[in-house]
Amino acid sequence: MRPSVRFLNPSEAARRLGVSAKALRLYEQRGLVAPGRTAAGWRAYGPDELARAGQVVALRVLGLSLAQVAQVLSGDGQALEPALAAHQARLEQQGRQLAGQVEKVRALRAGLARGQTPEAEDLTGLLAPAAGLSVAFDLPWPWGGEPFVLGDIPPLTYITGPLGSGKTRLALSLAEALPGAIFLGLDRTAEGGAAVRAGLDAGPALAARIDRTRAWLVEDGATPSDDLLALLAALEAETAAALVIDMPEQGLDAPTQTALVAWLRRRGSDARPVFLLTRSSAILDLAALGIGEALLYCPANHAPPIRVAPYPGAPGYEAVASCLASPEVRARTAGMIAMMRHAESGGASTRPAAGR
């Protein structure tokens, strides 16, 4: 190993690449990457190894399976055609959305030239391309019936807030107000849970989609489980116009959460809306938010929920950051809360709480 070159251990390399260390190990097992070794035998990633791993990650983002990645890296460019066609379609859709945003900005500038100051709603609408869907309803308790309007709903919206802020009630209200929406609660993996049954008893077409997505996630480091199956059964089914998912991190380890969100982002700008009620920093990675994603925050003081722009300094951004914790911390918190409830109930058996 060249002493003047900076080498990273697997965890550092995974963070640099935006994947899990587990995914990086899978890439190595498939022969797609070959990290160097230190004198003590530890894996190490230098510039060449990172560049190679970066190629694998880029091809995965395009939607290729690891088998297809291997084909492309071995020189078979034809394996790229379906992925490039799908990526082109997504880019063209984004281009149309961005063109609409440009027209909005042009209109606002023209208004300024005439002495017209834009409304706050007009400026907020510039933060993300319009998804053509909006919803309005009266907020439930603890807000006391205040009107709430959410416009330009993108394919992926995160809902977060501190304990007791009312975010679960907001999520339930969204599911009730959005036509054709389904709320996927924490009982989705309970014995006989409808979501798990849907995954196990799916028809051939749905079963194939679930298996294909599950395989893609496992290749990206996810761990198969009933919790993951319940999510995929709902996400791949075509019965709901929108999905509101309570704590998608329930029962999923950190690599699985990371892989799941990466897959959700790949769905494209015209995908049906999915709302994720979460306090996991692996699900809601503030540094990774982009076009096609929105963030709703429920303040601790029961002020109405607000849409938070995804950059430091924006109103509510720091409050959102303070609500999030890593999957490991969330798991410890869930265990402590479960123990407390078990003690309070006199030792009666209860399903572990997830600590919202």
PDB file of all heavy atoms in Angstrom, residues 70-89:
ATOM      1  N   ALA A  70     -22.253  -6.618 -12.979  1.00  0.00           N
ATOM      2  CA  ALA A  70     -21.094  -7.426 -13.359  1.00  0.00           C
ATOM      3  C   ALA A  70     -20.953  -7.492 -14.876  1.00  0.00           C
ATOM      4  O   ALA A  70     -19.835  -7.414 -15.411  1.00  0.00           O
ATOM      5  CB  ALA A  70     -21.217  -8.828 -12.769  1.00  0.00           C
ATOM      6  N   GLN A  71     -22.075  -7.620 -15.586  1.00  0.00           N
ATOM      7  CA  GLN A  71     -22.033  -7.653 -17.043  1.00  0.00           C
ATOM      8  C   GLN A  71     -21.466  -6.361 -17.607  1.00  0.00           C
ATOM      9  O   GLN A  71     -20.610  -6.375 -18.502  1.00  0.00           O
ATOM     10  CB  GLN A  71     -23.441  -7.882 -17.613  1.00  0.00           C
ATOM     11  CG  GLN A  71     -23.982  -9.278 -17.435  1.00  0.00           C
ATOM     12  CD  GLN A  71     -25.384  -9.381 -18.014  1.00  0.00           C
ATOM     13  OE1 GLN A  71     -26.385  -9.187 -17.316  1.00  0.00           O
ATOM     14  NE2 GLN A  71     -25.472  -9.665 -19.297  1.00  0.00           N
ATOM     15  N   VAL A  72     -21.961  -5.234 -17.085  1.00  0.00           N
ATOM     16  CA  VAL A  72     -21.516  -3.939 -17.600  1.00  0.00           C
ATOM     17  C   VAL A  72     -20.028  -3.739 -17.325  1.00  0.00           C
ATOM     18  O   VAL A  72     -19.260  -3.311 -18.193  1.00  0.00           O
ATOM     19  CB  VAL A  72     -22.341  -2.795 -16.966  1.00  0.00           C
ATOM     20  CG1 VAL A  72     -21.748  -1.439 -17.346  1.00  0.00           C
ATOM     21  CG2 VAL A  72     -23.793  -2.884 -17.419  1.00  0.00           C
ATOM     22  N   LEU A  73     -19.592  -4.062 -16.113  1.00  0.00           N
ATOM     23  CA  LEU A  73     -18.192  -3.861 -15.754  1.00  0.00           C
ATOM     24  C   LEU A  73     -17.260  -4.795 -16.519  1.00  0.00           C
ATOM     25  O   LEU A  73     -16.070  -4.510 -16.661  1.00  0.00           O
ATOM     26  CB  LEU A  73     -18.000  -4.049 -14.244  1.00  0.00           C
ATOM     27  CG  LEU A  73     -18.672  -2.990 -13.357  1.00  0.00           C
ATOM     28  CD1 LEU A  73     -18.426  -3.291 -11.882  1.00  0.00           C
ATOM     29  CD2 LEU A  73     -18.187  -1.589 -13.695  1.00  0.00           C
ATOM     30  N   SER A  74     -17.816  -5.893 -17.034  1.00  0.00           N
ATOM     31  CA  SER A  74     -17.005  -6.800 -17.843  1.00  0.00           C
ATOM     32  C   SER A  74     -16.995  -6.426 -19.320  1.00  0.00           C
ATOM     33  O   SER A  74     -16.370  -7.103 -20.133  1.00  0.00           O
ATOM     34  CB  SER A  74     -17.508  -8.244 -17.686  1.00  0.00           C
ATOM     35  OG  SER A  74     -18.819  -8.372 -18.232  1.00  0.00           O
ATOM     36  N   GLY A  75     -17.718  -5.335 -19.655  1.00  0.00           N
ATOM     37  CA  GLY A  75     -17.695  -4.840 -21.021  1.00  0.00           C
ATOM     38  C   GLY A  75     -18.951  -5.061 -21.818  1.00  0.00           C
ATOM     39  O   GLY A  75     -19.027  -4.670 -22.994  1.00  0.00           O
ATOM     40  N   ASP A  76     -20.001  -5.660 -21.236  1.00  0.00           N
ATOM     41  CA  ASP A  76     -21.256  -5.903 -21.944  1.00  0.00           C
ATOM     42  C   ASP A  76     -22.184  -4.705 -21.764  1.00  0.00           C
ATOM     43  O   ASP A  76     -22.968  -4.631 -20.823  1.00  0.00           O
ATOM     44  CB  ASP A  76     -21.916  -7.180 -21.418  1.00  0.00           C
ATOM     45  CG  ASP A  76     -23.226  -7.504 -22.142  1.00  0.00           C
ATOM     46  OD1 ASP A  76     -23.549  -6.801 -23.119  1.00  0.00           O
ATOM     47  OD2 ASP A  76     -23.914  -8.455 -21.722  1.00  0.00           O
ATOM     48  N   GLY A  77     -22.098  -3.751 -22.659  1.00  0.00           N
ATOM     49  CA  GLY A  77     -22.876  -2.520 -22.546  1.00  0.00           C
ATOM     50  C   GLY A  77     -24.358  -2.707 -22.780  1.00  0.00           C
ATOM     51  O   GLY A  77     -25.163  -1.854 -22.363  1.00  0.00           O
ATOM     52  N   GLN A  78     -24.776  -3.798 -23.436  1.00  0.00           N
ATOM     53  CA  GLN A  78     -26.188  -3.993 -23.729  1.00  0.00           C
ATOM     54  C   GLN A  78     -27.021  -4.155 -22.461  1.00  0.00           C
ATOM     55  O   GLN A  78     -28.221  -3.893 -22.467  1.00  0.00           O
ATOM     56  CB  GLN A  78     -26.371  -5.221 -24.626  1.00  0.00           C
ATOM     57  CG  GLN A  78     -25.882  -5.008 -26.048  1.00  0.00           C
ATOM     58  CD  GLN A  78     -26.533  -3.792 -26.702  1.00  0.00           C
ATOM     59  OE1 GLN A  78     -27.757  -3.653 -26.689  1.00  0.00           O
ATOM     60  NE2 GLN A  78     -25.709  -2.912 -27.260  1.00  0.00           N
ATOM     61  N   ALA A  79     -26.390  -4.586 -21.381  1.00  0.00           N
ATOM     62  CA  ALA A  79     -27.125  -4.730 -20.121  1.00  0.00           C
ATOM     63  C   ALA A  79     -27.599  -3.378 -19.595  1.00  0.00           C
ATOM     64  O   ALA A  79     -28.477  -3.313 -18.726  1.00  0.00           O
ATOM     65  CB  ALA A  79     -26.236  -5.412 -19.079  1.00  0.00           C
ATOM     66  N   LEU A  80     -27.038  -2.300 -20.133  1.00  0.00           N
ATOM     67  CA  LEU A  80     -27.412  -0.955 -19.691  1.00  0.00           C
ATOM     68  C   LEU A  80     -28.691  -0.438 -20.339  1.00  0.00           C
ATOM     69  O   LEU A  80     -29.320   0.491 -19.822  1.00  0.00           O
ATOM     70  CB  LEU A  80     -26.279   0.033 -20.007  1.00  0.00           C
ATOM     71  CG  LEU A  80     -25.183   0.221 -18.973  1.00  0.00           C
ATOM     72  CD1 LEU A  80     -24.070   1.076 -19.557  1.00  0.00           C
ATOM     73  CD2 LEU A  80     -25.737   0.866 -17.716  1.00  0.00           C
ATOM     74  N   GLU A  81     -29.087  -0.998 -21.483  1.00  0.00           N
ATOM     75  CA  GLU A  81     -30.163  -0.402 -22.267  1.00  0.00           C
ATOM     76  C   GLU A  81     -31.464  -0.215 -21.492  1.00  0.00           C
ATOM     77  O   GLU A  81     -32.011   0.894 -21.468  1.00  0.00           O
ATOM     78  CB  GLU A  81     -30.413  -1.243 -23.523  1.00  0.00           C
ATOM     79  CG  GLU A  81     -31.661  -0.866 -24.321  1.00  0.00           C
ATOM     80  CD  GLU A  81     -31.724   0.615 -24.696  1.00  0.00           C
ATOM     81  OE1 GLU A  81     -30.645   1.226 -24.885  1.00  0.00           O
ATOM     82  OE2 GLU A  81     -32.830   1.164 -24.774  1.00  0.00           O
ATOM     83  N   PRO A  82     -32.022  -1.238 -20.819  1.00  0.00           N
ATOM     84  CA  PRO A  82     -33.291  -1.016 -20.096  1.00  0.00           C
ATOM     85  C   PRO A  82     -33.157   0.036 -18.994  1.00  0.00           C
ATOM     86  O   PRO A  82     -34.055   0.863 -18.812  1.00  0.00           O
ATOM     87  CB  PRO A  82     -33.601  -2.401 -19.505  1.00  0.00           C
ATOM     88  CG  PRO A  82     -32.823  -3.362 -20.332  1.00  0.00           C
ATOM     89  CD  PRO A  82     -31.576  -2.638 -20.734  1.00  0.00           C
ATOM     90  N   ALA A  83     -32.036   0.018 -18.278  1.00  0.00           N
ATOM     91  CA  ALA A  83     -31.856   0.984 -17.194  1.00  0.00           C
ATOM     92  C   ALA A  83     -31.726   2.398 -17.735  1.00  0.00           C
ATOM     93  O   ALA A  83     -32.276   3.348 -17.172  1.00  0.00           O
ATOM     94  CB  ALA A  83     -30.628   0.621 -16.369  1.00  0.00           C
ATOM     95  N   LEU A  84     -30.995   2.554 -18.849  1.00  0.00           N
ATOM     96  CA  LEU A  84     -30.833   3.888 -19.433  1.00  0.00           C
ATOM     97  C   LEU A  84     -32.162   4.410 -19.981  1.00  0.00           C
ATOM     98  O   LEU A  84     -32.446   5.608 -19.886  1.00  0.00           O
ATOM     99  CB  LEU A  84     -29.781   3.850 -20.537  1.00  0.00           C
ATOM    100  CG  LEU A  84     -28.328   3.692 -20.063  1.00  0.00           C
ATOM    101  CD1 LEU A  84     -27.391   3.604 -21.268  1.00  0.00           C
ATOM    102  CD2 LEU A  84     -27.917   4.845 -19.160  1.00  0.00           C
ATOM    103  N   ALA A  85     -32.965   3.519 -20.561  1.00  0.00           N
ATOM    104  CA  ALA A  85     -34.272   3.944 -21.076  1.00  0.00           C
ATOM    105  C   ALA A  85     -35.156   4.446 -19.944  1.00  0.00           C
ATOM    106  O   ALA A  85     -35.819   5.487 -20.062  1.00  0.00           O
ATOM    107  CB  ALA A  85     -34.943   2.777 -21.804  1.00  0.00           C
ATOM    108  N   ALA A  86     -35.167   3.701 -18.819  1.00  0.00           N
ATOM    109  CA  ALA A  86     -35.968   4.128 -17.672  1.00  0.00           C
ATOM    110  C   ALA A  86     -35.430   5.438 -17.091  1.00  0.00           C
ATOM    111  O   ALA A  86     -36.203   6.328 -16.710  1.00  0.00           O
ATOM    112  CB  ALA A  86     -35.975   3.037 -16.606  1.00  0.00           C
ATOM    113  N   HIS A  87     -34.109   5.564 -17.023  1.00  0.00           N
ATOM    114  CA  HIS A  87     -33.504   6.789 -16.491  1.00  0.00           C
ATOM    115  C   HIS A  87     -33.808   7.978 -17.396  1.00  0.00           C
ATOM    116  O   HIS A  87     -34.081   9.086 -16.906  1.00  0.00           O
ATOM    117  CB  HIS A  87     -31.998   6.599 -16.361  1.00  0.00           C
ATOM    118  CG  HIS A  87     -31.310   7.708 -15.613  1.00  0.00           C
ATOM    119  ND1 HIS A  87     -31.629   8.048 -14.310  1.00  0.00           N
ATOM    120  CD2 HIS A  87     -30.319   8.575 -15.990  1.00  0.00           C
ATOM    121  CE1 HIS A  87     -30.880   9.062 -13.918  1.00  0.00           C
ATOM    122  NE2 HIS A  87     -30.082   9.393 -14.918  1.00  0.00           N
ATOM    123  N   GLN A  88     -33.786   7.762 -18.694  1.00  0.00           N
ATOM    124  CA  GLN A  88     -34.125   8.838 -19.623  1.00  0.00           C
ATOM    125  C   GLN A  88     -35.554   9.309 -19.408  1.00  0.00           C
ATOM    126  O   GLN A  88     -35.824  10.523 -19.412  1.00  0.00           O
ATOM    127  CB  GLN A  88     -33.948   8.354 -21.063  1.00  0.00           C
ATOM    128  CG  GLN A  88     -34.333   9.408 -22.112  1.00  0.00           C
ATOM    129  CD  GLN A  88     -34.167   8.896 -23.534  1.00  0.00           C
ATOM    130  OE1 GLN A  88     -33.366   7.993 -23.780  1.00  0.00           O
ATOM    131  NE2 GLN A  88     -34.916   9.452 -24.455  1.00  0.00           N
ATOM    132  N   ALA A  89     -36.477   8.351 -19.209  1.00  0.00           N
ATOM    133  CA  ALA A  89     -37.873   8.728 -18.978  1.00  0.00           C
ATOM    134  C   ALA A  89     -38.005   9.565 -17.708  1.00  0.00           C
ATOM    135  O   ALA A  89     -38.747  10.555 -17.676  1.00  0.00           O
ATOM    136  CB  ALA A  89     -38.740   7.474 -18.885  1.00  0.00           C
TER     137      ALA A  89
END
